[in-house]
Amino acid sequence: MMSNRLKNAQPAPLFSIITVCYNAQDTIAATLESVDSQTCEHYEHLVVDGASTDHTLDIAREHPNLRRRVFSSPDNGIYDAMNKGLTTARGEYLVFLNSGDALHSPDTLQRIADAIIDNGFPGVVYGQTQVVGKDRGRLADRHLTAPDVLTYKSFADGMVVCHQAFVALRRICDEYDLKYRYSADYEWCIRVLQHSRRNVAVKGEPLVDYLAGGMSAKHRGKSLWERFRIMSYYYGFFPTVLRHMKFIPRYLRRSRVERGFSS
């Protein structure tokens, strides 16, 4: 049901929730169910499938939702699929929710909508993320905590806000740069922040449940090298080298935690 705040205040923002997937029959249902359970109805849900050969599309059809559109065609990887979703999106704000990830609770989208309205439609709204396992049980908080104050310079310390918990105003978003195969989301967030005049944190419980073992985790070395190149471009080579010396303990802690996830 639409909240009184959305009825009586400014017109509600329309979210485009974009889910890219390929052969995701084991993970897609949790994502669909989390979207379908939202109390805020001011969204469209775009499922961008890469021509799956398993039962992904069958499962999507088993979760009917008038706000959902499902597309299926071959693509050139996850970021190409995200670009397809971005260019198709009709909403004012973009939410990228990959297969296996989920909005944390039924009122998550409403909390984001309230933050947008209360703060005059900022460029970015963001929040915290928790990591879950295949049984959807909580494993840990994300290795980086979203800061209280977010700026373009914040990402010099890494992806301090999870991509799925980074809700961006559509009109300030360009497409993902496909020359980055593993970290284009990190570079995209930096560009969005360059164009955002104001960023607002949604406090309290996490916005997103992130499924452990995503693409960047499976290609850790290549992803880190891409991020180093991106950091060097936006924040300078030598400052990036110095920061990475400080990052070493963080990388070691994260590796130990991820080994625990997979054990």
Side-chain angles (χ1 to χ4, degrees):
M1 180 178 296
M2 188 190 308
S3 75
N4 288 332
R5 298 181 70 183
L6 288 179
K7 286 180 179 178
N8 301 326
Q10 303 176 42
L14 174 64
F15 297 96
S16 289
I17 304 172
I18 299 171
T19 297
V20 301
C21 56
Y22 176 69
N23 285 351
Q25 63 181 18
D26 296 331
T27 60
I28 190 69
T31 305
L32 300 175
E33 290 165 5
S34 82
V35 173
D36 294 347
S37 72
Q38 292 304 299
T39 58
C40 175
E41 299 178 349
H42 294 265
Y43 70 85
E44 63 174 357
H45 188 199
L46 309 180
V47 177
V48 185
D49 176 76
S52 290
T53 57
D54 64 358
H55 295 292
T56 299
L57 293 174
D58 295 330
I59 294 170
R61 296 187 187 102
E62 291 168 2
H63 289 77
N65 184 331
L66 294 177
R67 300 175 187 85
R68 179 173 295 127
R69 291 183 285 159
V70 180
F71 307 87
S72 185
S73 62
D75 56 51
N76 293 316
I78 186 171
Y79 299 116
D80 182 42
M82 287 180 179
N83 280 342
K84 290 182 179 181
L86 190 155
T87 56
T88 304
R90 297 176 298 192
E92 289 189 67
Y93 284 84
L94 303 179
V95 182
F96 285 93
L97 195 67
N98 291 345
S99 181
D101 303 327
L103 297 169
H104 179 70
S105 61
D107 69 343
T108 294
L109 207 59
Q110 184 63 59
R111 291 172 59 217
I112 299 171
D114 289 344
I116 289 170
I117 292 171
D118 288 346
N119 291 278
F121 291 73
V124 173
V125 179
Y126 66 98
Q128 305 295 346
T129 304
Q130 74 172 3
V131 182
V132 300
K134 293 180 180 179
D135 63 355
R136 311 309 302 179
R138 180 184 180 278
L139 295 177
D141 292 331
R142 187 169 177 264
H143 71 290
L144 292 178
T145 301
D148 290 336
V149 178
L150 181 68
T151 71
Y152 152 73
K153 293 182 179 180
S154 300
F155 270 56
D157 290 323
M159 199 157 188
V160 294
V161 179
C162 180
H163 185 221
Q164 286 84 336
F166 185 98
V167 180
L169 186 63
R170 170 68 181 86
R171 63 181 174 82
I172 66 172
C173 297
D174 295 322
E175 294 187 5
Y176 293 82
D177 189 337
L178 299 186
K179 73 181 178 185
Y180 300 113
R181 188 173 179 183
Y182 304 104
S183 295
D185 53 348
Y186 173 67
E187 193 271 343
W188 181 83
C189 287
I190 293 174
R191 280 190 283 123
V192 170
L193 287 170
Q194 285 182 318
H195 292 96
S196 176
R197 295 182 178 180
R198 193 154 47 91
N199 311 307
V200 174
V202 181
K203 303 295 180 63
E205 66 180 20
L207 297 184
V208 172
D209 294 342
Y210 174 83
L211 181 63
M215 184 179 71
S216 60
K218 295 175 182 176
H219 301 276
R220 173 69 57 209
K222 294 177 180 178
S223 176
L224 291 177
W225 172 239
E226 278 194 354
R227 290 194 186 188
F228 179 85
R229 290 167 50 205
I230 294 165
M231 285 182 183
S232 297
Y233 177 80
Y234 284 100
Y235 304 112
F237 175 76
F238 289 110
T240 296
V241 170
L242 292 176
R243 286 192 187 93
H244 273 70
M245 293 177 67
K246 298 178 183 178
F247 292 167
I248 291 174
R250 188 173 83 189
Y251 290 151
L252 293 175
R253 287 196 301 272
R254 184 176 184 183
S255 296
R256 287 196 294 270
V257 170
E258 287 178 348
R259 285 197 297 271
F261 289 168
S262 60
S263 63

